[in-house]
Amino acid sequence: MQQTRTLTTQVRGHIGERIRIQGWLQSWRQLGGIHFLVIRDGWGQIQAVAESEEEIAPLINVEASVESLVAIEGQVESVAQAPGGVELHNLTIEVIAPIREVPPVALNKRKINAQISTLLDHAVVANRHPSRRAIFRLASAMMQAFRSTLTDRGFTEIQTPKLVASATESGANVFKVEYFGRTAYLAQSPQFYKQNMVGVFERVFEVGPVFRAEEHDTTRHLNEYVSLDAEFGFIENHFTVMALLRDILASILGAFQEQCASELDLLKASLPEVPEEIPYIHFQDAQELILKLHKVDVRGEPDLSPQDERWLGEWAQKEYGSAFLFVTGYPMKKRPFYTHPDPERPEFSNSFDLLFRGTELVTGGQRLHRYEDYIAALEQAQMSPEPFEHYLEAFRYGMPPHGGFAIGSERLLMQLLGAPNVRLTTTFPRDIHRLVP
Amino acid sequence: MQQTRTLTTQVRGHIGERIRIQGWLQSWRQLGGIHFLVIRDGWGQIQAVAESEEEIAPLINVEASVESLVAIEGQVESVAQAPGGVELHNLTIEVIAPIREVPPVALNKRKINAQISTLLDHAVVANRHPSRRAIFRLASAMMQAFRSTLTDRGFTEIQTPKLVASATESGANVFKVEYFGRTAYLAQSPQFYKQNMVGVFERVFEVGPVFRAEEHDTTRHLNEYVSLDAEFGFIENHFTVMALLRDILASILGAFQEQCASELDLLKASLPEVPEEIPYIHFQDAQELILKLHKVDVRGEPDLSPQDERWLGEWAQKEYGSAFLFVTGYPMKKRPFYTHPDPERPEFSNSFDLLFRGTELVTGGQRLHRYEDYIAALEQAQMSPEPFEHYLEAFRYGMPPHGGFAIGSERLLMQLLGAPNVRLTTTFPRDIHRLVP
């Protein structure tokens, strides 16, 4: 067999021809002397039908079972009842590598039938299941859409260090690393570096790991995750940032529809619409609204509770038909020191949270850009400027008004797909208990 | 001033019009009452000429100096002797944020004039210099070309964990992390995960940080760098991998030429040609060649010395007119345990190094794909299979013949540009002495 390989997704274009496929023996059923084989390759699967003992002999001779690697030559026939409408006949089977043990997670069932802990313990194999793979294909499409939208708008991709000399925003929740006799830390975010790089390229983005030593053990927390970060200069205020974020979400969801139709179908995912303009409400107005609608007085609280967020989500759905809602102007005291205040009401900030179906999805806003403002903000927060010496140098020598946001990619995917646990949208998750596989 | 902003790189298209630009005051020279301002934005720079005291007053009134943020409205005029052939006249200047201190590295000179340590200590500001920025723009173009070439060929992008339970290849040179009362390690490479993900997607790639706790203090070593990794299944042998690598290098260099002409010009970089087929020589033949050409007998040595590599580089240039040379078939004993042997001569491997101008640029090869071969290889290397339990699960349940390579992105850029130090092709390098900025 020297013929060129055809991918399973290309078979439909070869009806009547003899082709060669390669892949994993995903399933093998026998019905009255006929063997139905399903071969999975990196993109899809195809049925191959052996009607004689001679055809199937190469598999039987080596006692090959599912997940064996095979190459199969066969005639492509259009068969209405075959999955995908085509199947292979008159097979010549070659076993590339036989497998004789049963995988720890059954990959040949339509639905994956295992506890989440089993899925994660055996992720190396379980990730092959079409329903698991579909999620990771969406994750890849998400990153690609994020990058291409930003590249098209003049953003430059950067890669910033993950080993840092001091914690990004506070000393808590940071992993310590032994660094040649000193202590280094794992970056909790690329915040400082992406801001500094606005001084170089004006518009920058990064896709990379961030590390949070949080002791949370919930369905929403990972201790290492992939952050999609953007930051850009010469903005008007946080509304410029919100407009960009809206367009990025629209392009991610558009990419899912265009490039991942079969994955969405498999996952039975129904994706939200991103409105032309996502509605927004100021933090203070949100609290007034909650009092009016639910008779609960949260005015004066420095933050929104999960219940508050759910109520606001319901309201946005009812009032605007939107699954998305921006809450703007969070109180300064609950935001990090680099947050830009609202010039009109300095106790509130030029920042936002994006809620999706009543849960926080993305945080962002405008940052301070004047050196003197940083010094004053650090003093106010009773923080020493010394660990921030290098970061602050950018502002000392000229920075434009700027802002940005950070998206936790696994969590975004979890929420868009309605997955019950963020670990299910991560190939190899890291949590307080899990460092393997 | 409410007019829309024009980027400096778009000014040439607006001759005769009045436009508004924004950016940093890169330089400010005065000649006989005329003020020549150069404004830098995220993409380029443009000259603006103030011929009256009234025009320049907004800068003088606030004592603004270079690196101040400004918005300038002016008439675009075609002027042969102006840099880029156009400049702005009849200015209305607005100071967005005045700067009054002199930057620690002069950004307004054509050549950057500072010690490397000064450049790195003040990278936050020094990276703004057009010659520094050009390098980082090339780095971004490199990543983009790497991704798009692979995506076009059916590869899926993955993101694998950087916090791992055991060292990737050996216990040496690995950073330790305090992980909730246990010790975790920083991944030295995505090797195991990318191989495992070949079981899911067949063809995968990753762009991400890797961490090496090497105590080297040379011009070629970083302790954290960005690795461009690819791995794919159903290969014939290492030559399939070499063919892909050749195409990726060609597309990176093509992207430089097409997208970064002004950056290459600024850096006075002359890029190599990638031949249609990069010449290759077997390790054993290379040692015979060295004996023949240089009368030095290195036969039986398990590896090539830097001198050997230089000789081979010279030979490839002379014999094939190629700056690139593959050396194939390195002895198994110098390669990691997962390396696939040459079936004909099992003491040699199906692996390669790519030399560029006589220096190693990329390492790659075919990996083992049968579970029993891994068990035998670990036994041979006197390593316990236990820490590799999860990695090995992929092979236990079916993996195709596969291989791949890893490119150190900063080092590749250093070598292509002929930069004297890898730190100069890194925005914020990490070495044995440096954790800031």
Side-chain angles (χ1 to χ4, degrees):
Chain A
M1 283 202 287
Q2 292 298 329
Q3 215 187 325
T4 333
R5 174 187 184 190
T6 303
L7 304 184
T8 58
T9 45
Q10 303 166 330
V11 173
R12 221 174 298 195
H14 295 270
I15 291 169
E17 296 170 34
R18 200 164 170 80
I19 60 159
R20 175 184 158 89
I21 59 165
Q22 291 179 325
W24 287 258
L25 179 59
Q26 161 119 334
S27 76
W28 178 0
R29 283 176 308 122
Q30 196 175 350
L31 279 175
I34 303 182
H35 297 263
F36 295 91
L37 310 174
V38 175
I39 311 306
R40 181 187 76 243
D41 67 9
W43 301 268
Q45 49 246 346
I46 195 83
Q47 185 160 277
V49 183
E51 288 164 282
S52 69
E53 289 308 311
E54 195 196 336
E55 283 169 273
I56 204 71
L59 283 171
I60 290 178
N61 293 345
V62 297
E63 295 172 47
S65 69
V66 289
E67 292 305 298
S68 292
L69 275 299
V70 295
I72 300 187
E73 223 182 86
Q75 183 84 9
V76 182
E77 290 184 17
S78 172
V79 178
Q81 67 270 35
V86 283
E87 58 187 28
L88 297 187
H89 283 262
N90 300 316
L91 311 182
T92 311
I93 297 175
E94 179 196 324
V95 180
I96 298 169
I99 293 303
R100 294 179 192 102
E101 283 182 87
V102 179
V105 175
L107 302 173
N108 53 2
K109 301 277 181 286
R110 182 178 278 269
K111 279 192 95 169
I112 196 160
N113 224 335
Q115 301 284 341
I116 183 166
S117 61
T118 309
L119 284 186
L120 300 181
D121 286 346
H122 299 283
V124 159
V125 175
N127 287 350
R128 298 179 187 179
H129 190 278
S131 69
R132 301 291 300 137
R133 182 165 81 170
I135 290 176
F136 307 130
R137 190 86 76 189
L138 288 166
S140 172
M142 177 192 294
M143 290 187 275
Q144 217 179 320
F146 177 77
R147 287 202 194 91
S148 69
T149 309
L150 289 168
T151 304
D152 288 350
R153 293 172 184 229
F155 281 70
T156 297
E157 182 168 9
I158 56 171
Q159 303 273 353
T160 66
K162 306 309 161 205
L163 284 167
V164 294
S166 52
T168 310
E169 296 179 20
S170 70
N173 298 333
V174 61
F175 287 113
K176 285 182 187 172
V177 182
E178 285 178 36
Y179 195 82
F180 304 116
R182 293 187 275 171
T183 298
Y185 303 91
L186 289 178
Q188 294 166 298
S189 88
Q191 182 63 33
F192 292 174
Y193 290 103
K194 71 176 179 170
Q195 284 184 264
N196 287 342
M197 288 302 284
V198 166
V200 176
F201 289 127
E202 271 195 43
R203 302 177 192 167
V204 296
F205 69 92
E206 179 164 7
V207 175
V210 297
F211 306 90
R212 304 278 170 105
E214 296 171 344
E215 301 208 15
H216 297 303
D217 186 13
T218 79
T219 57
R220 290 164 49 83
H221 283 90
L222 292 171
N223 294 103
E224 174 182 348
Y225 65 87
V226 176
S227 183
L228 310 178
D229 271 274
E231 196 79 13
F232 61 120
F234 295 103
I235 63 171
E236 186 70 29
N237 52 38
H238 52 310
F239 282 87
T240 323
V241 180
M242 287 152 59
L244 177 68
L245 176 55
R246 183 264 154 209
D247 290 353
I248 284 172
L249 289 171
S251 95
I252 287 173
L253 288 162
F256 285 178
Q257 305 277 15
E258 278 167 42
Q259 299 161 26
C260 304
S262 67
E263 283 81 3
L264 293 175
D265 197 46
L266 187 73
L267 297 169
K268 302 204 192 322
S270 74
L271 297 179
E273 291 277 327
V274 184
E276 275 301 317
E277 275 195 55
I278 294 177
Y280 65 88
I281 186 170
H282 190 278
F283 181 83
Q284 232 180 359
D285 300 333
Q287 292 187 327
E288 293 289 349
L289 186 77
I290 288 165
L291 177 60
K292 200 179 113 199
L293 295 180
H294 300 281
K295 313 297 173 221
V296 178
D297 191 356
V298 292
R299 291 176 305 175
E301 290 293 327
D303 212 343
L304 298 175
S305 70
Q307 175 63 272
D308 298 344
E309 293 184 338
R310 275 193 296 276
W311 279 335
L312 292 169
E314 286 164 20
W315 171 77
Q317 189 62 53
K318 206 170 141 195
E319 188 77 13
Y320 299 101
S322 172
F324 296 94
L325 175 71
F326 279 120
V327 179
T328 62
Y330 283 77
M332 281 297 282
K333 60 181 150 201
K334 292 300 281 184
R335 293 274 150 160
F337 72 86
Y338 49 77
T339 306
H340 200 290
D342 179 348
E344 309 288 318
R345 290 186 283 180
E347 71 274 28
F348 295 103
S349 66
N350 272 1
S351 75
F352 64 83
D353 271 11
L354 176 62
L355 307 187
F356 174 64
R357 294 181 180 147
T359 315
E360 183 251 310
L361 195 66
V362 186
T363 293
Q366 181 179 359
R367 331 296 187 185
L368 298 174
H369 61 279
R370 288 183 205 87
Y371 182 68
E372 340 38 296
D373 292 345
Y374 274 92
I375 297 301
L378 286 166
E379 201 166 295
Q380 173 101 26
Q382 297 181 296
M383 292 165 80
S384 155
E386 201 259 316
F388 305 108
E389 176 198 347
H390 292 279
Y391 169 56
L392 296 177
E393 200 174 38
F395 306 101
R396 197 156 178 167
Y397 301 107
M399 281 287 282
H402 66 283
F405 54 81
I407 305 175
S409 67
E410 298 87 346
R411 198 186 278 187
L412 174 64
L413 195 55
M414 167 182 84
Q415 289 179 279
L416 292 179
L417 298 179
N421 193 314
V422 70
R423 289 165 187 78
L424 293 173
T425 54
T426 312
T427 44
F428 302 104
R430 292 293 176 259
D431 64 32
I432 188 167
H433 306 295
R434 181 175 294 279
L435 266 173
V436 291
Chain B
M1 283 202 288
Q2 291 298 329
Q3 216 188 324
T4 334
R5 175 187 184 190
T6 303
L7 303 184
T8 58
T9 44
Q10 303 166 329
V11 172
R12 222 174 296 195
H14 294 271
I15 291 167
E17 295 170 35
R18 201 163 169 79
I19 61 157
R20 175 185 159 88
I21 59 165
Q22 291 179 325
W24 286 258
L25 179 59
Q26 160 121 330
S27 76
W28 179 358
R29 284 176 308 122
Q30 197 177 349
L31 279 175
I34 303 183
H35 297 263
F36 295 90
L37 311 173
V38 175
I39 311 305
R40 181 188 76 243
D41 67 10
W43 300 269
Q45 48 245 349
I46 195 82
Q47 184 157 279
V49 183
E51 288 165 281
S52 69
E53 289 308 311
E54 197 195 334
E55 282 170 273
I56 203 73
L59 282 171
I60 290 178
N61 293 346
V62 296
E63 295 173 47
S65 69
V66 289
E67 292 306 298
S68 292
L69 275 299
V70 294
I72 300 187
E73 223 184 87
Q75 183 84 11
V76 183
E77 290 184 17
S78 172
V79 177
Q81 68 269 36
V86 282
E87 58 187 28
L88 297 187
H89 283 262
N90 300 317
L91 311 181
T92 310
I93 298 175
E94 180 197 323
V95 180
I96 298 169
I99 292 303
R100 294 180 192 101
E101 283 183 86
V102 179
V105 175
L107 301 173
N108 53 1
K109 302 277 182 283
R110 181 178 279 268
K111 279 192 94 169
I112 198 160
N113 223 335
Q115 300 284 342
I116 184 165
S117 61
T118 309
L119 283 186
L120 300 182
D121 287 345
H122 299 281
V124 159
V125 175
N127 286 352
R128 298 180 187 179
H129 190 280
S131 69
R132 302 292 299 135
R133 182 164 80 171
I135 290 175
F136 307 130
R137 190 85 75 189
L138 288 166
S140 172
M142 177 192 294
M143 290 187 275
Q144 218 179 319
F146 177 77
R147 286 202 196 91
S148 67
T149 309
L150 289 168
T151 304
D152 288 350
R153 293 171 184 230
F155 281 71
T156 297
E157 182 168 9
I158 57 171
Q159 303 274 350
T160 65
K162 306 310 160 203
L163 284 166
V164 294
S166 53
T168 310
E169 296 179 20
S170 70
N173 299 333
V174 60
F175 287 113
K176 286 182 187 172
V177 181
E178 286 177 35
Y179 194 82
F180 304 115
R182 293 187 275 171
T183 299
Y185 302 91
L186 289 178
Q188 294 166 299
S189 87
Q191 181 64 33
F192 292 175
Y193 290 103
K194 70 176 180 170
Q195 284 185 265
N196 286 343
M197 288 303 285
V198 165
V200 177
F201 289 126
E202 270 197 42
R203 303 179 191 165
V204 296
F205 69 92
E206 179 165 7
V207 175
V210 298
F211 305 90
R212 304 278 171 106
E214 295 171 344
E215 300 208 16
H216 296 302
D217 186 14
T218 80
T219 57
R220 289 164 49 85
H221 283 90
L222 293 171
N223 295 102
E224 174 182 349
Y225 66 86
V226 176
S227 183
L228 309 178
D229 270 273
E231 196 79 14
F232 61 120
F234 295 103
I235 63 171
E236 186 71 28
N237 52 37
H238 53 309
F239 282 88
T240 324
V241 181
M242 288 152 59
L244 177 69
L245 176 55
R246 181 264 156 210
D247 290 353
I248 284 172
L249 289 170
S251 95
I252 288 173
L253 287 161
F256 286 178
Q257 305 278 14
E258 278 167 40
Q259 299 160 26
C260 305
S262 66
E263 283 81 3
L264 293 174
D265 197 47
L266 186 74
L267 296 170
K268 302 205 192 321
S270 75
L271 298 180
E273 291 277 327
V274 184
E276 276 302 317
E277 275 195 55
I278 294 177
Y280 65 89
I281 185 169
H282 190 279
F283 181 84
Q284 231 180 359
D285 299 333
Q287 292 186 329
E288 293 289 349
L289 186 77
I290 287 164
L291 176 61
K292 199 180 113 199
L293 295 180
H294 300 282
K295 314 294 173 224
V296 178
D297 191 356
V298 292
R299 291 175 305 175
E301 291 292 327
D303 211 343
L304 297 175
S305 70
Q307 175 64 271
D308 297 344
E309 293 185 338
R310 275 193 297 277
W311 279 334
L312 292 169
E314 285 165 20
W315 171 78
Q317 189 62 54
K318 204 170 142 196
E319 188 77 12
Y320 299 101
S322 172
F324 297 92
L325 174 70
F326 280 117
V327 180
T328 62
Y330 283 78
M332 280 297 282
K333 61 181 149 200
K334 291 300 280 186
R335 294 273 151 162
F337 71 85
Y338 50 76
T339 305
H340 200 291
D342 179 349
E344 309 288 318
R345 290 186 282 179
E347 71 276 27
F348 295 102
S349 66
N350 272 1
S351 75
F352 62 84
D353 271 11
L354 176 62
L355 306 187
F356 173 63
R357 293 182 180 143
T359 314
E360 182 252 310
L361 195 65
V362 186
T363 292
Q366 181 179 359
R367 331 296 186 183
L368 298 174
H369 61 280
R370 288 184 205 86
Y371 182 68
E372 356 12 312
D373 292 345
Y374 275 92
I375 298 300
L378 285 166
E379 200 167 296
Q380 173 101 25
Q382 296 181 298
M383 292 164 80
S384 156
E386 200 259 316
F388 306 107
E389 176 198 346
H390 292 279
Y391 169 57
L392 296 177
E393 199 173 39
F395 306 101
R396 197 156 178 168
Y397 300 108
M399 281 286 283
H402 66 283
F405 54 82
I407 305 175
S409 67
E410 299 87 345
R411 198 185 277 186
L412 174 64
L413 194 56
M414 167 181 85
Q415 288 178 280
L416 293 178
L417 298 179
N421 193 314
V422 70
R423 290 163 187 78
L424 293 173
T425 54
T426 313
T427 45
F428 302 105
R430 292 293 175 259
D431 64 32
I432 187 168
H433 305 296
R434 180 174 294 280
L435 267 173
V436 291

